[in-house]
Amino acid sequence: MAKKSKIARDEHRRAVVARHAERRAELKRLIAAPGVAPEVKEAAVRELARQPRDASPTRLRNRDAVDGRPRGHLRKFGLSRVRFRQEAHAGHLPGVTKASW
């Protein structure tokens, strides 16, 4: 299980990303638009740089929904590979069967 502080930090980052997502998208659209004046683009780049570092979605980490494990994350289930195996063996994941050969 991950440290509680790491899980809390990730939750905080997700909140910051959600709070700034709309403004970041607007600034990025201004920067990428071809017909915008250079002064406006410069101002948008400066404002984007002033945004909090944690407002960038690339700072998020996919973690296990149950225990916060950061590695071996299966996006479809929101679980780590370890937790996925435990839940599948227990029969808690509908439609998941163990292959046998």
Side-chain angles (χ1 to χ4, degrees):
M1 180 158 169
K3 291 170 54 175
K4 300 276 188 206
S5 59
K6 292 287 187 181
I7 296 169
R9 170 57 60 192
D10 192 56
E11 288 171 4
H12 174 72
R13 279 191 180 140
R14 288 185 188 282
V16 171
V17 166
R19 190 168 57 238
H20 290 88
E22 189 176 328
R23 183 62 181 151
R24 283 181 62 86
E26 182 182 328
L27 291 171
K28 285 180 165 268
R29 184 187 52 78
L30 274 175
I31 293 168
V36 178
E39 300 83 29
V40 175
K41 281 188 181 189
E42 255 182 61
V45 167
R46 272 187 263 120
E47 187 175 342
L48 189 62
R50 275 197 314 266
Q51 297 256 325
R53 183 176 286 169
D54 282 346
S56 174
T58 58
R59 305 232 344 148
L60 296 177
R61 179 85 163 139
N62 288 331
R63 290 185 173 270
D64 187 313
V66 178
D67 63 7
R69 181 182 166 89
R71 307 241 177 158
H73 181 266
L74 301 173
R75 187 175 297 209
K76 184 174 180 180
F77 299 96
L79 301 171
S80 67
R81 61 182 178 77
V82 177
R83 179 70 56 175
F84 173 78
R85 190 167 187 268
Q86 290 172 352
E87 297 292 317
H89 279 298
H92 296 145
L93 299 176
V96 176
T97 56
K98 183 180 182 298
S100 58
W101 53 90

XYZ file of all heavy atoms in Angstrom:
804
model
N 0.830 -1.181 0.000
C 0.000 0.000 0.000
C 0.876 1.247 0.000
O 1.911 1.301 0.664
C -0.884 0.002 1.235
C -1.765 1.202 1.303
S -3.166 0.885 2.339
C -3.798 2.511 2.467
N 0.453 2.235 -0.761
C 1.200 3.477 -0.855
C 1.043 4.291 0.432
O 0.085 4.119 1.182
C 0.706 4.297 -2.033
N 1.993 5.193 0.656
C 1.905 6.061 1.818
C 0.674 6.953 1.694
O 0.298 7.372 0.597
C 3.145 6.952 1.888
C 4.402 6.211 2.221
C 5.646 7.065 2.035
C 5.600 8.357 2.779
N 6.859 9.117 2.696
N 0.073 7.246 2.807
C -1.126 8.100 2.824
C -0.818 9.482 2.257
O -1.657 10.093 1.600
C -1.654 8.248 4.252
C -2.042 6.963 4.906
C -3.427 6.567 4.529
C -3.853 5.372 5.361
N -4.834 4.587 4.708
N 0.398 9.959 2.503
C 0.766 11.287 2.019
C 0.824 11.319 0.487
O 0.453 12.324 -0.125
C 2.108 11.718 2.600
O 3.129 10.810 2.248
N 1.286 10.222 -0.118
C 1.343 10.166 -1.589
C -0.062 10.146 -2.179
O -0.335 10.796 -3.194
C 2.108 8.926 -2.052
C 3.564 8.963 -1.718
C 4.287 9.933 -2.599
C 5.771 9.835 -2.376
N 6.510 10.778 -3.195
N -0.957 9.400 -1.555
C -2.337 9.327 -2.027
C -3.010 10.689 -1.879
O -3.697 11.170 -2.788
C -3.111 8.240 -1.265
C -2.509 6.865 -1.566
C -4.589 8.265 -1.620
C -3.024 5.756 -0.681
N -2.786 11.345 -0.748
C -3.373 12.666 -0.501
C -2.832 13.692 -1.484
O -3.584 14.539 -1.991
C -3.087 13.101 0.927
N -1.524 13.636 -1.761
C -0.913 14.574 -2.708
C -1.510 14.390 -4.105
O -1.781 15.356 -4.806
C 0.605 14.356 -2.727
C 1.369 15.068 -3.820
C 1.200 16.554 -3.841
N 1.635 17.183 -2.630
C 1.372 18.452 -2.314
N 0.673 19.205 -3.135
N 1.786 18.964 -1.191
N -1.728 13.145 -4.500
C -2.307 12.872 -5.814
C -3.743 13.392 -5.889
O -4.147 13.964 -6.903
C -2.264 11.376 -6.112
C -2.578 11.081 -7.556
O -1.889 11.636 -8.438
O -3.514 10.309 -7.817
N -4.514 13.222 -4.821
C -5.882 13.744 -4.798
C -5.876 15.264 -4.893
O -6.700 15.863 -5.600
C -6.602 13.299 -3.529
C -6.949 11.830 -3.515
C -7.477 11.359 -2.171
O -7.647 12.196 -1.252
O -7.723 10.146 -2.042
N -4.939 15.899 -4.192
C -4.817 17.355 -4.247
C -4.474 17.810 -5.671
O -5.055 18.775 -6.186
C -3.745 17.825 -3.266
C -3.451 19.286 -3.355
N -4.325 20.255 -2.915
C -2.393 19.954 -3.857
C -3.812 21.446 -3.137
N -2.629 21.283 -3.708
N -3.540 17.103 -6.297
C -3.166 17.450 -7.674
C -4.349 17.313 -8.626
O -4.527 18.133 -9.518
C -2.031 16.557 -8.151
C -0.698 17.010 -7.677
C 0.417 16.270 -8.367
N 1.688 16.750 -7.872
C 2.722 15.987 -7.620
N 2.657 14.703 -7.844
N 3.840 16.500 -7.166
N -5.149 16.269 -8.452
C -6.317 16.081 -9.312
C -7.295 17.247 -9.161
O -7.874 17.713 -10.139
C -7.001 14.764 -9.001
C -6.193 13.577 -9.487
C -6.883 12.241 -9.308
N -5.959 11.167 -9.617
C -5.632 10.784 -10.849
N -6.177 11.371 -11.883
N -4.765 9.807 -11.040
N -7.448 17.738 -7.945
C -8.324 18.885 -7.713
C -7.766 20.141 -8.372
O -8.514 20.915 -8.991
C -8.506 19.103 -6.215
N -6.455 20.349 -8.284
C -5.826 21.527 -8.889
C -5.943 21.455 -10.409
O -6.254 22.465 -11.068
C -4.347 21.649 -8.454
C -3.628 22.734 -9.229
C -4.269 21.924 -6.965
N -5.720 20.284 -10.977
C -5.839 20.119 -12.439
C -7.264 20.426 -12.888
O -7.481 21.148 -13.868
C -5.426 18.690 -12.864
C -5.853 18.400 -14.288
C -3.930 18.514 -12.727
N -8.245 19.921 -12.159
C -9.647 20.167 -12.526
C -9.989 21.647 -12.406
O -10.725 22.189 -13.246
C -10.559 19.331 -11.625
N -9.455 22.315 -11.383
C -9.762 23.717 -11.165
C -9.199 24.607 -12.276
O -9.816 25.590 -12.668
C -9.211 24.150 -9.804
C -9.659 25.500 -9.359
C -9.354 25.781 -7.898
N -7.943 25.645 -7.576
C -7.456 24.810 -6.658
N -8.240 24.017 -5.978
N -6.154 24.765 -6.423
N -8.033 24.250 -12.813
C -7.378 25.093 -13.821
C -7.554 24.592 -15.257
O -7.029 25.217 -16.179
C -5.884 25.189 -13.507
C -5.579 25.981 -12.286
N -5.546 25.429 -11.034
C -5.323 27.295 -12.112
C -5.260 26.345 -10.145
N -5.130 27.501 -10.771
N -8.238 23.502 -15.451
C -8.313 22.873 -16.782
C -8.904 23.802 -17.837
O -8.373 23.909 -18.950
C -9.119 21.586 -16.697
N -9.981 24.469 -17.504
C -10.657 25.308 -18.500
C -9.768 26.469 -18.934
O -9.625 26.750 -20.134
C -11.964 25.834 -17.910
C -12.836 26.540 -18.926
C -14.172 26.953 -18.322
O -14.664 26.245 -17.427
O -14.693 27.993 -18.756
N -9.138 27.156 -17.979
C -8.283 28.297 -18.315
C -7.043 27.850 -19.086
O -6.618 28.507 -20.037
C -7.879 29.027 -17.030
C -7.054 30.266 -17.275
C -7.813 31.306 -18.065
N -6.988 32.477 -18.306
C -7.114 33.278 -19.354
N -8.048 33.066 -20.240
N -6.317 34.294 -19.498
N -6.455 26.716 -18.693
C -5.287 26.202 -19.422
C -5.643 25.875 -20.870
O -4.880 26.173 -21.786
C -4.727 24.955 -18.739
C -3.926 25.236 -17.502
C -3.392 23.949 -16.907
N -2.488 23.261 -17.811
C -1.184 23.509 -17.907
N -0.636 24.428 -17.149
N -0.434 22.820 -18.740
N -6.806 25.268 -21.074
C -7.231 24.926 -22.437
C -7.423 26.181 -23.272
O -7.049 26.218 -24.458
C -8.517 24.109 -22.384
N -7.996 27.214 -22.659
C -8.205 28.473 -23.381
C -6.871 29.112 -23.757
O -6.691 29.580 -24.891
C -9.010 29.426 -22.484
C -9.340 30.744 -23.141
C -10.085 31.660 -22.183
O -10.847 31.148 -21.339
O -9.890 32.881 -22.282
N -5.916 29.117 -22.831
C -4.597 29.688 -23.119
C -3.873 28.894 -24.192
O -3.262 29.474 -25.107
C -3.752 29.733 -21.844
C -4.207 30.723 -20.773
C -3.432 30.506 -19.487
C -4.064 32.145 -21.261
N -3.940 27.585 -24.134
C -3.284 26.754 -25.142
C -3.909 26.961 -26.515
O -3.224 26.936 -27.533
C -3.330 25.287 -24.735
C -2.358 24.971 -23.631
C -2.428 23.513 -23.267
C -1.249 23.112 -22.462
N -0.150 22.596 -23.256
N -5.243 27.165 -26.540
C -5.916 27.422 -27.805
C -5.433 28.749 -28.396
O -5.171 28.856 -29.597
C -7.435 27.459 -27.595
C -8.230 27.619 -28.883
C -9.700 27.829 -28.624
N -9.986 28.900 -27.685
C -9.955 30.206 -27.989
N -9.625 30.597 -29.185
N -10.241 31.105 -27.070
N -5.274 29.771 -27.555
C -4.770 31.063 -28.024
C -3.349 30.939 -28.569
O -3.015 31.534 -29.598
C -4.768 32.075 -26.874
C -6.050 32.838 -26.620
C -5.901 33.692 -25.374
C -6.415 33.685 -27.806
N -2.524 30.189 -27.882
C -1.127 30.046 -28.302
C -1.034 29.319 -29.641
O -0.222 29.666 -30.499
C -0.323 29.309 -27.217
C -0.223 30.177 -25.964
C 1.062 28.931 -27.715
C 0.283 29.444 -24.743
N -1.882 28.318 -29.856
C -1.807 27.512 -31.073
C -2.545 28.134 -32.253
O -2.320 27.737 -33.392
C -2.379 26.125 -30.801
N -3.419 29.108 -32.008
C -4.222 29.701 -33.094
C -3.317 30.483 -34.045
O -2.474 31.273 -33.609
C -5.296 30.608 -32.513
N -3.505 30.299 -35.365
C -2.620 30.962 -36.327
C -2.891 32.456 -36.511
O -1.977 33.216 -36.801
C -2.888 30.211 -37.634
C -4.235 29.620 -37.473
C -4.429 29.371 -36.011
N -4.122 32.932 -36.333
C -4.444 34.331 -36.633
C -4.368 35.273 -35.455
O -4.803 36.415 -35.546
N -3.776 34.853 -34.367
C -3.720 35.684 -33.171
C -2.456 36.546 -33.198
O -1.392 36.108 -33.643
C -3.729 34.784 -31.905
C -3.628 35.616 -30.641
C -4.978 33.943 -31.870
N -2.585 37.783 -32.712
C -1.460 38.715 -32.691
C -0.341 38.181 -31.792
O -0.603 37.540 -30.775
C -1.922 40.075 -32.173
N 0.909 38.463 -32.150
C 2.049 37.967 -31.358
C 2.028 38.448 -29.900
O 2.448 37.728 -29.002
C 3.275 38.528 -32.087
C 2.806 38.831 -33.460
C 1.350 39.139 -33.369
N 1.524 39.673 -29.671
C 1.471 40.204 -28.304
C 0.511 39.383 -27.443
O 0.776 39.109 -26.267
C 1.026 41.669 -28.293
C 1.926 42.611 -29.066
C 1.624 42.630 -30.563
O 0.466 42.384 -30.951
O 2.562 42.861 -31.332
N -0.603 38.985 -28.052
C -1.597 38.187 -27.332
C -1.013 36.804 -27.020
O -1.199 36.282 -25.918
C -2.899 38.065 -28.159
C -3.891 37.141 -27.489
C -3.508 39.442 -28.387
N -0.307 36.232 -27.993
C 0.323 34.925 -27.772
C 1.349 35.004 -26.653
O 1.414 34.123 -25.790
C 0.991 34.424 -29.052
C 0.049 33.841 -30.046
C 0.791 33.188 -31.180
C -0.203 32.623 -32.181
N 0.431 31.803 -33.202
N 2.153 36.074 -26.660
C 3.161 36.251 -25.613
C 2.521 36.348 -24.234
O 2.987 35.747 -23.270
C 3.975 37.518 -25.884
C 5.351 37.258 -26.398
C 6.103 38.557 -26.604
O 6.289 39.288 -25.612
O 6.488 38.811 -27.748
N 1.446 37.114 -24.162
C 0.741 37.275 -22.886
C 0.162 35.932 -22.423
O 0.206 35.605 -21.232
C -0.368 38.313 -23.019
N -0.358 35.146 -23.377
C -0.919 33.839 -23.041
C 0.171 32.891 -22.552
O -0.039 32.139 -21.592
C -1.637 33.244 -24.250
N 1.332 32.927 -23.177
C 2.445 32.076 -22.755
C 2.886 32.461 -21.348
O 3.126 31.595 -20.496
C 3.631 32.186 -23.748
C 4.896 31.563 -23.178
C 3.274 31.548 -25.063
N 2.972 33.776 -21.077
C 3.367 34.225 -19.742
C 2.350 33.808 -18.685
O 2.713 33.368 -17.596
C 3.565 35.743 -19.726
C 4.983 36.131 -20.120
C 5.252 37.602 -19.940
N 5.050 38.211 -21.270
C 4.156 39.156 -21.544
N 3.411 39.660 -20.609
N 4.032 39.619 -22.764
N 1.059 33.950 -19.012
C 0.028 33.560 -18.043
C 0.031 32.046 -17.817
O -0.160 31.589 -16.690
C -1.354 34.013 -18.513
C -2.408 33.768 -17.464
C -3.774 34.296 -17.827
O -3.869 35.147 -18.725
O -4.739 33.829 -17.208
N 0.265 31.282 -18.876
C 0.336 29.829 -18.734
C 1.525 29.436 -17.840
O 1.417 28.532 -17.024
C 0.464 29.171 -20.109
C 0.334 27.657 -20.167
C -1.042 27.225 -19.689
C 0.572 27.156 -21.572
N 2.623 30.157 -17.972
C 3.797 29.886 -17.140
C 3.553 30.270 -15.681
O 4.165 29.703 -14.778
C 5.005 30.634 -17.680
N 2.670 31.233 -15.441
C 2.354 31.652 -14.073
C 1.401 30.696 -13.366
O 1.257 30.763 -12.148
C 1.733 33.052 -14.079
C 2.748 34.175 -14.088
C 2.127 35.489 -13.677
N 0.868 35.767 -14.331
C 0.707 36.487 -15.442
N 1.758 36.982 -16.041
N -0.484 36.691 -15.957
N 0.754 29.816 -14.121
C -0.162 28.859 -13.511
C 0.628 27.936 -12.573
O 1.823 27.729 -12.756
C -0.836 28.008 -14.603
C -1.685 28.796 -15.556
C -3.152 28.622 -15.281
O -3.582 27.559 -14.894
N -3.903 29.665 -15.483
N -0.034 27.357 -11.589
C 0.679 26.437 -10.687
C 1.233 25.237 -11.449
O 0.636 24.774 -12.412
C -0.409 25.976 -9.709
C -1.536 26.897 -9.869
C -1.430 27.524 -11.213
N 2.359 24.759 -10.995
C 2.996 23.618 -11.653
C 2.097 22.382 -11.607
O 2.040 21.596 -12.548
C 4.325 23.327 -10.965
C 5.094 22.211 -11.616
C 6.423 22.042 -10.963
N 7.303 23.131 -11.357
C 8.467 23.372 -10.794
N 8.879 22.639 -9.794
N 9.222 24.348 -11.218
N 1.385 22.211 -10.500
C 0.515 21.048 -10.350
C -0.760 21.146 -11.176
O -1.572 20.227 -11.167
C 0.145 20.838 -8.879
C 1.266 20.180 -8.104
O 2.194 19.653 -8.746
O 1.207 20.184 -6.864
N -0.964 22.246 -11.901
C -2.155 22.388 -12.731
C -2.025 21.623 -14.051
O -3.001 21.452 -14.766
C -2.433 23.861 -13.018
N -0.829 21.138 -14.346
C -0.606 20.391 -15.582
C -1.049 18.938 -15.409
O -0.664 18.275 -14.448
C 0.876 20.424 -15.948
O 1.120 19.593 -17.050
N -1.856 18.420 -16.343
C -2.320 17.037 -16.222
C -1.204 16.001 -16.289
O -1.381 14.877 -15.830
C -3.276 16.858 -17.403
C -3.511 18.188 -17.965
C -2.448 19.103 -17.475
N -0.043 16.358 -16.824
C 1.049 15.390 -16.899
C 1.637 15.089 -15.527
O 2.403 14.135 -15.384
C 2.175 15.881 -17.819
O 2.655 17.129 -17.346
C 1.675 16.033 -19.233
N 1.293 15.887 -14.525
C 1.813 15.650 -13.172
C 0.987 14.621 -12.408
O 1.339 14.255 -11.294
C 1.847 16.961 -12.388
C 2.631 18.008 -13.129
C 3.696 18.732 -12.455
N 3.814 18.728 -11.045
C 4.982 18.792 -10.439
N 6.085 18.757 -11.143
N 5.053 18.859 -9.146
N -0.123 14.162 -13.009
C -0.961 13.161 -12.357
C -0.350 11.774 -12.523
O 0.328 11.491 -13.510
C -2.368 13.165 -12.944
C -3.171 14.448 -12.745
C -4.516 14.322 -13.434
C -3.355 14.737 -11.280
N -0.636 10.912 -11.577
C -0.115 9.540 -11.605
C -1.300 8.599 -11.463
O -2.123 8.770 -10.568
C 0.848 9.359 -10.426
C 1.436 7.990 -10.308
C 2.644 7.890 -11.188
N 3.455 6.748 -10.811
C 4.023 5.969 -11.697
N 3.881 6.191 -12.977
N 4.759 4.959 -11.300
N -1.396 7.617 -12.349
C -2.453 6.622 -12.213
C -2.134 5.735 -11.020
O -1.051 5.163 -10.941
C -2.558 5.765 -13.476
C -3.153 6.520 -14.631
O -3.952 7.425 -14.428
N -2.768 6.172 -15.837
N -3.080 5.638 -10.103
C -2.878 4.842 -8.899
C -4.028 3.869 -8.714
O -5.140 4.114 -9.168
C -2.791 5.741 -7.661
C -1.525 6.554 -7.622
C -1.419 7.328 -6.326
N -0.125 7.967 -6.236
C 0.948 7.406 -5.701
N 0.885 6.213 -5.180
N 2.095 8.045 -5.679
N -3.750 2.773 -8.014
C -4.757 1.780 -7.660
C -5.859 2.470 -6.859
O -5.584 3.227 -5.929
C -4.109 0.679 -6.831
C -5.029 -0.489 -6.560
O -6.184 -0.255 -6.168
O -4.590 -1.636 -6.710
N -7.105 2.210 -7.206
C -8.230 2.848 -6.532
C -8.374 2.380 -5.094
O -8.924 3.101 -4.257
C -9.516 2.575 -7.304
N -7.880 1.186 -4.774
C -8.064 0.628 -3.433
C -6.918 1.011 -2.502
O -7.134 1.562 -1.428
C -8.209 -0.912 -3.503
C -8.352 -1.502 -2.125
C -9.385 -1.286 -4.378
N -5.688 0.719 -2.912
C -4.581 0.955 -1.991
C -3.560 1.981 -2.477
O -2.602 2.251 -1.780
C -3.879 -0.355 -1.634
C -3.237 -1.026 -2.831
O -3.218 -0.440 -3.919
O -2.753 -2.161 -2.676
N -3.732 2.553 -3.653
C -2.864 3.628 -4.113
C -1.563 3.207 -4.736
O -0.697 4.037 -4.979
N -1.408 1.916 -5.040
C -0.160 1.453 -5.657
C 0.043 2.162 -6.997
O -0.841 2.170 -7.847
C -0.221 -0.061 -5.854
C 1.031 -0.648 -6.472
C 0.889 -2.144 -6.699
N 1.927 -2.631 -7.565
C 3.115 -3.054 -7.154
N 3.402 -3.035 -5.885
N 4.008 -3.488 -8.019
N 1.234 2.757 -7.225
C 1.446 3.546 -8.433
C 1.895 2.752 -9.656
O 1.779 3.228 -10.774
C 2.541 4.522 -8.022
C 3.324 3.772 -7.013
C 2.340 2.901 -6.288
N 2.399 1.553 -9.465
C 2.942 0.794 -10.595
C 2.012 -0.340 -10.982
O 1.266 -0.851 -10.163
C 4.308 0.224 -10.221
C 5.236 1.274 -9.699
C 6.430 1.364 -10.562
N 7.308 2.434 -10.100
C 8.565 2.476 -10.374
N 9.119 1.527 -11.086
N 9.288 3.486 -9.966
N 2.090 -0.764 -12.227
C 1.295 -1.888 -12.707
C -0.187 -1.566 -12.729
O -1.016 -2.414 -12.428
N -0.526 -0.344 -13.098
C -1.921 0.099 -13.090
C -2.641 -0.363 -14.348
O -2.150 -0.171 -15.460
C -1.960 1.630 -13.014
C -3.329 2.190 -12.965
N -4.005 2.606 -14.088
C -4.171 2.389 -11.936
C -5.187 3.050 -13.735
N -5.314 2.923 -12.439
N -3.802 -1.012 -14.187
C -4.633 -1.425 -15.314
C -5.761 -0.422 -15.446
O -6.664 -0.359 -14.611
C -5.189 -2.830 -15.085
C -4.136 -3.918 -14.901
C -4.795 -5.237 -14.520
C -3.314 -4.079 -16.149
N -5.698 0.390 -16.485
C -6.614 1.511 -16.657
C -8.073 1.068 -16.729
O -8.959 1.714 -16.188
C -6.235 2.260 -17.924
C -6.994 3.531 -18.122
C -6.478 4.267 -19.313
N -5.092 4.638 -19.084
C -4.516 5.691 -19.622
N -5.173 6.452 -20.427
N -3.266 5.963 -19.361
N -8.323 -0.045 -17.395
C -9.694 -0.509 -17.591
C -10.403 -0.787 -16.262
O -11.599 -0.579 -16.135
C -9.696 -1.774 -18.452
C -11.062 -2.291 -18.791
C -10.996 -3.459 -19.755
C -12.379 -3.970 -20.103
N -12.318 -5.099 -21.029
N -9.639 -1.246 -15.284
C -10.234 -1.618 -13.996
C -9.917 -0.627 -12.888
O -10.525 -0.677 -11.823
C -9.755 -3.015 -13.588
C -10.147 -4.080 -14.564
C -9.269 -4.498 -15.548
C -11.409 -4.644 -14.519
C -9.630 -5.471 -16.459
C -11.781 -5.621 -15.423
C -10.889 -6.023 -16.399
N -8.931 0.233 -13.082
C -8.539 1.178 -12.053
C -7.810 0.529 -10.893
O -7.773 1.069 -9.797
N -7.237 -0.643 -11.153
C -6.549 -1.402 -10.118
C -5.119 -1.701 -10.552
O -4.802 -1.683 -11.739
C -7.258 -2.737 -9.862
C -8.711 -2.683 -9.420
C -9.312 -4.076 -9.430
C -8.811 -2.065 -8.047
N -4.276 -2.003 -9.572
C -2.924 -2.450 -9.901
C -2.998 -3.923 -10.287
O -3.990 -4.608 -10.024
C -1.990 -2.262 -8.704
O -2.352 -3.133 -7.662
N -1.932 -4.433 -10.869
C -1.909 -5.830 -11.306
C -2.073 -6.776 -10.125
O -2.721 -7.813 -10.237
C -0.617 -6.133 -12.050
C 0.608 -5.935 -11.201
C 1.921 -6.185 -11.933
N 3.040 -5.928 -11.073
C 3.476 -6.732 -10.124
N 2.869 -7.886 -9.908
N 4.503 -6.407 -9.373
N -1.515 -6.410 -8.968
C -1.598 -7.250 -7.779
C -3.038 -7.316 -7.287
O -3.594 -8.397 -7.042
C -0.660 -6.709 -6.675
C -0.784 -7.530 -5.413
C 0.769 -6.660 -7.168
N -3.667 -6.153 -7.127
C -5.046 -6.081 -6.632
C -6.004 -6.710 -7.650
O -6.966 -7.376 -7.279
C -5.423 -4.626 -6.365
C -6.821 -4.421 -5.877
C -7.028 -4.914 -4.484
N -6.069 -4.285 -3.601
C -6.073 -4.447 -2.291
N -6.969 -5.201 -1.723
N -5.158 -3.857 -1.553
N -5.725 -6.515 -8.947
C -6.566 -7.101 -9.991
C -6.589 -8.621 -9.858
O -7.640 -9.253 -9.919
C -6.035 -6.717 -11.372
C -6.733 -7.411 -12.498
C -7.981 -6.989 -12.915
C -6.153 -8.502 -13.125
C -8.635 -7.628 -13.952
C -6.803 -9.154 -14.153
C -8.048 -8.709 -14.566
N -5.415 -9.203 -9.628
C -5.329 -10.660 -9.500
C -6.108 -11.152 -8.280
O -6.849 -12.132 -8.352
C -3.856 -11.063 -9.394
C -3.608 -12.537 -9.483
C -2.114 -12.786 -9.692
N -1.878 -14.177 -9.951
C -1.601 -15.084 -9.015
N -1.537 -14.713 -7.752
N -1.393 -16.342 -9.333
N -5.979 -10.448 -7.165
C -6.709 -10.831 -5.952
C -8.214 -10.749 -6.170
O -8.964 -11.667 -5.810
C -6.332 -9.899 -4.789
C -4.938 -10.091 -4.277
C -4.557 -9.024 -3.260
O -5.287 -8.059 -3.052
N -3.398 -9.195 -2.637
N -8.666 -9.641 -6.762
C -10.103 -9.436 -6.983
C -10.653 -10.440 -7.996
O -11.777 -10.927 -7.860
C -10.370 -8.011 -7.463
C -10.000 -6.937 -6.455
C -10.894 -6.950 -5.235
O -12.120 -7.096 -5.391
O -10.358 -6.816 -4.116
N -9.872 -10.753 -9.028
C -10.323 -11.706 -10.039
C -10.444 -13.108 -9.447
O -11.416 -13.820 -9.703
C -9.360 -11.706 -11.221
N -9.469 -13.515 -8.646
C -9.529 -14.833 -8.014
C -10.690 -14.946 -7.038
O -11.287 -16.008 -6.884
C -8.218 -15.142 -7.280
C -7.136 -15.632 -8.190
N -7.222 -16.788 -8.922
C -5.934 -15.092 -8.504
C -6.127 -16.956 -9.636
N -5.326 -15.921 -9.406
N -11.023 -13.826 -6.395
C -12.135 -13.819 -5.439
C -13.481 -13.755 -6.144
O -14.521 -13.921 -5.512
C -11.984 -12.651 -4.473
N -13.462 -13.474 -7.454
C -14.709 -13.401 -8.217
C -15.432 -12.076 -8.087
O -16.636 -11.981 -8.335
N -14.712 -11.014 -7.722
C -15.327 -9.703 -7.542
C -15.356 -8.863 -8.811
O -15.937 -7.773 -8.802
C -14.593 -8.928 -6.440
C -14.716 -9.589 -5.100
N -13.698 -9.567 -4.187
C -15.716 -10.303 -4.524
C -14.061 -10.222 -3.097
N -15.287 -10.691 -3.287
N -14.747 -9.344 -9.879
C -14.728 -8.595 -11.142
C -15.608 -9.309 -12.159
O -15.226 -10.370 -12.672
C -13.293 -8.483 -11.668
C -12.305 -7.761 -10.758
C -10.909 -7.810 -11.350
C -12.728 -6.328 -10.536
N -16.778 -8.784 -12.457
C -17.677 -9.464 -13.383
C -17.077 -9.586 -14.779
O -16.488 -8.642 -15.300
C -18.924 -8.586 -13.416
C -18.598 -7.365 -12.678
C -17.314 -7.528 -11.971
N -17.221 -10.757 -15.369
C -16.747 -10.993 -16.718
C -15.284 -11.380 -16.815
O -14.794 -11.667 -17.896
N -14.563 -11.377 -15.704
C -13.155 -11.742 -15.715
C -13.019 -13.185 -15.288
O -13.481 -13.564 -14.211
C -12.338 -10.816 -14.780
C -10.884 -11.265 -14.727
C -12.437 -9.390 -15.240
N -12.402 -13.990 -16.143
C -12.190 -15.405 -15.809
C -10.701 -15.707 -15.934
O -10.005 -15.102 -16.730
C -12.972 -16.333 -16.754
O -12.593 -16.032 -18.106
C -14.466 -16.147 -16.584
N -10.264 -16.653 -15.163
C -8.867 -17.062 -15.210
C -8.677 -18.053 -16.360
O -9.423 -19.016 -16.484
C -8.471 -17.708 -13.880
C -7.026 -18.096 -13.816
C -6.705 -18.726 -12.477
C -5.246 -19.078 -12.354
N -4.782 -20.038 -13.317
N -7.701 -17.770 -17.157
C -7.385 -18.695 -18.248
C -6.664 -19.915 -17.679
O -5.832 -19.786 -16.787
C -6.512 -18.014 -19.293
N -6.980 -21.078 -18.194
C -6.258 -22.279 -17.757
C -5.878 -23.078 -18.995
O -6.616 -23.148 -19.964
C -7.142 -23.119 -16.832
O -8.329 -23.484 -17.474
N -4.712 -23.683 -18.942
C -4.247 -24.469 -20.083
C -3.475 -25.662 -19.598
O -3.139 -25.815 -18.497
C -3.406 -23.625 -21.044
C -2.281 -22.912 -20.363
C -1.020 -23.372 -20.177
C -2.318 -21.617 -19.765
N -0.264 -22.453 -19.518
C -1.023 -21.366 -19.252
C -3.305 -20.656 -19.611
C -0.705 -20.207 -18.601
C -2.957 -19.499 -18.963
C -1.672 -19.269 -18.462
